[in-house]
Amino acid sequence: MNLEVIVLAAGKGTRMRSSLPKVLHRVAGRPMLAHVVDRAAELQASVIHIVIGHGAEQVQARIEAPRVNWVMQREQLGTGHAVKQVLPDLGAESVALILYGDVPLTRTETLSALVDLVDDAHMALLTVQMDDPGGYGRIVREPGGNIVGIVEHKDASAEQLAIHEVNTGILAVKSSCLHAWLPRLSNENAQGEYYLTDIIAMAAADGLRVRSVHPDTVAEVQGANDRVQLAELERWYQARAAEKLMRAGAALIDPARLDVRGEVTVGEDVEIDINVILEGAVSIGPGARIGAHSTLRDVVIGAGSRVLENCVLEQCEIGAGCTVGPFARLRPGTRLHDGARVGNFVETKNATVCEDAKINHLTYVGDASVGARSNIGAGTITCNYDGANKHRTEIEEDVFVGSNSALVAPVRIGRGATVGAGSTITRDVSTGSLAVARGRQKEVANWERPKKK
C-alpha cells in the first residue's frame, strides 16, 4: 500500500494574537506542524503534501523533513478547498491520510489503525466522544450504525446537536475517491466554505461504508486555536512524557514540574528533581540524579552521576560517577570521563576532563584537555582565543594548577607539574616542575592613601 499524507497548515490562527503562523507555535519546544510531520514520517508515507498559505515562507523555513511536497492555498475557502489543491500532485492509486498542522498529539498507533481500515469498499474516519461537543461537527449514523454523514455545528438541527460523537477531521481514503468527490463539493452552507466533511455523504451515496477509529484520549485529537488551548496541549504532552519516564524507572519528584522537549531515555533508579528541562536527545544512566532547575540539551549522563542544582549542560557527555555543579555550565564538546568533578560556577567548552580530575569552582576551561587526577584551582582561565583563532591547552595527568592562574594557549602543562597560584603561563611547563609566573611583590613603607578632595 502506497500512503500519501496531506497536512492542512494554511491557516493564520487569528485567535493566537501573533504574527507567527499558527502551526509554528510550539508544543514541547517544537512547532506543532513538526510533530504532525514526524507522525507522517513514522507511518512511512511516500510523500507528505503540506498545504500552506498564511506565512508560507516562514513555515517552509522552519520545517525540515524528507519527501515533502509544498502546496499553496492562496485563498482559505475551507478544508475541502485546501485538500483540492493537492489533487494535481496526488497519486491515483494511493491511500490518502488527511491530518491537521495544529493537531500535534495524535499517536502513530492511532493513525496506523485508521489507515489499515481503508480498502476499495471502505474509508475510515477518526471520531471521538465528547462530553461537551459544542463547535464540533456531529457524526450522523444510520440505525445500523454505519456513518452516513457529518453535520457542522452551525448547520446542525436541534436533534443533531444532541449527538456527542464528533468529527476530528482526520480521515483516510483511497485517493481515487478524492479525485472523484472533491470537484463536486459545494459551498452552499452557513459558512460559505467547501467542507471536506461533505465527502462522507458522497461515500455513502457511492456505496462505500465508513469505518471509524477512536483515539485513547481526547487530547490526541485536540487542536490549538488560541494560547489557552496551546497551553493545554503542552500540559497533556508533558503528562504523557512524565508517565513514560516513570514507567521506565525514573523517580520524578514532581511530575507536573518537568518539561520534556525531545527524546529522553532513562535507566533504572534515575531521580529527577523539580523544574528540570530535557531538550533534544537526552540519555540518563541508571542511578543518576538530576538536580532542580537544571537544563540538559542533547546530553548523555553516565550511571551514578550527579548533576546538582541550577546547571546548564549542552551537547556534552558525562561519564559514570561524575559530579557536576551546582551552577555549572557545560557547553558543546565537553566530555567528562568517569569520576570527574566540575563544581560551582565552572564553565567548560570543547573540553575533555579525564578520570578523577577536578575543576571545582570559578573556572573557565575551553578548547582544552585535563589529564587524569589533575586539580584545577579556583579562578583559573584557559585563554584559548587570540581574537581571531582558537588554540588548545593540554594539561597532562596529576597536574596541580594553583588558583587565579591564566594558561595562555597554545600551551602544554607536563605530567605531575605544578603551577603556582596567580601565574600567567605562556610557555610549556616541563614534567614534574613548578612554574611560577607573576610579578615580584613590592612594599612601600608608610604609604599614605589618597584622600577625597
Side-chain angles (χ1 to χ4, degrees), residues 237-247 250 252 255-256 258 260:
Y237 180 97
Q238 296 303 337
R240 189 168 67 185
E243 179 182 347
K244 180 180 177 181
L245 292 179
M246 289 187 288
R247 293 192 184 281
L252 307 182
L258 169 71
V260 176

Side-chain angles (χ1 to χ4, degrees), residues 307-314 316 318 323-332 334-336 340-353 357-366 368 370 375-382 395 403:
V307 177
L308 303 180
E309 293 75 11
N310 299 289
C311 292
V312 178
L313 283 63
E314 183 177 6
C316 58
I318 312 302
T323 302
V324 178
F327 295 98
R329 183 185 181 196
L330 274 55
R331 293 168 58 192
T334 295
R335 184 183 179 196
L336 306 189
R341 293 172 58 184
V342 171
N344 51 286
F345 304 105
V346 172
E347 179 181 352
T348 64
K349 190 269 300 177
N350 195 24
T352 299
V353 183
K358 296 184 288 187
I359 311 172
N360 276 335
H361 30 236
L362 300 164
T363 294
Y364 171 71
V365 175
V370 179
N375 190 330
I376 310 300
T380 296
I381 296 173
T382 58
I395 301 171
S403 297

Side-chain angles (χ1 to χ4, degrees), residues 278-413:
L278 305 174
E279 295 188 1
V282 175
S283 175
I284 305 175
R289 181 187 182 278
I290 311 300
H293 314 293
S294 293
T295 299
L296 279 60
R297 299 186 184 97
D298 298 307
V299 172
V300 175
I301 306 291
S305 288
R306 294 186 302 154
V307 177
L308 303 180
E309 293 75 11
N310 299 289
C311 292
V312 178
L313 283 63
E314 183 177 6
Q315 295 177 28
C316 58
E317 183 176 345
I318 312 302
C322 296
T323 302
V324 178
F327 295 98
R329 183 185 181 196
L330 274 55
R331 293 168 58 192
T334 295
R335 184 183 179 196
L336 306 189
H337 290 211
D338 296 351
R341 293 172 58 184
V342 171
N344 51 286
F345 304 105
V346 172
E347 179 181 352
T348 64
K349 190 269 300 177
N350 195 24
T352 299
V353 183
C354 293
E355 292 85 350
D356 300 315
K358 296 184 288 187
I359 311 172
N360 276 335
H361 30 236
L362 300 164
T363 294
Y364 171 71
V365 175
D367 295 294
S369 62
V370 179
R373 300 173 301 282
S374 290
N375 190 330
I376 310 300
T380 296
I381 296 173
T382 58
C383 306
N384 58 319
Y385 184 52
D386 63 9
N389 300 297
K390 300 288 182 69
H391 303 277
R392 287 196 64 81
T393 298
E394 303 290 342
I395 301 171
E396 296 185 351
E397 298 176 357
D398 300 303
V399 167
F400 180 86
V401 178
S403 297
N404 208 35
S405 294
L407 309 180
V408 182
V411 69
R412 178 182 295 272
I413 312 298

Side-chain angles (χ1 to χ4, degrees), residues 89-217:
D89 300 316
L90 185 65
E93 300 301 325
S94 302
V95 170
L97 172 65
I98 298 174
L99 304 177
Y100 296 81
D102 62 346
V103 182
L105 301 187
T106 313
R107 296 181 310 124
T108 305
E109 295 85 351
T110 301
L111 297 175
S112 181
L114 188 74
V115 171
D116 288 344
L117 294 180
V118 177
D119 56 32
D120 290 337
H122 298 87
M123 65 174 293
L125 192 63
L126 190 62
T127 71
V128 65
Q129 292 282 344
M130 299 186 71
D131 294 335
D132 180 9
Y136 289 88
R138 305 308 202 272
I139 300 298
V140 179
R141 294 178 181 266
E142 64 182 6
N146 188 46
I147 297 174
V148 294
I150 300 173
V151 180
E152 295 299 324
H153 180 89
K154 291 185 178 181
D155 300 315
S157 66
E159 181 181 1
Q160 291 166 337
L161 289 174
I163 297 172
H164 286 263
E165 185 183 13
V166 302
N167 175 42
T168 69
I170 296 173
L171 60 86
V173 64
K174 281 293 190 74
S175 58
S176 56
C177 295
L178 293 180
H179 281 285
W181 295 335
L182 291 178
R184 293 158 45 193
L185 289 178
S186 168
N187 64 347
E188 294 180 4
N189 51 61
Q191 294 290 92
E193 294 184 349
Y194 296 91
Y195 293 151
L196 180 62
T197 51
D198 287 349
I199 70 172
I200 305 302
M202 295 180 184
D206 287 354
L208 265 72
R209 294 183 66 85
V210 181
R211 294 168 167 173
S212 62
V213 168
H214 307 289
D216 283 352
T217 65

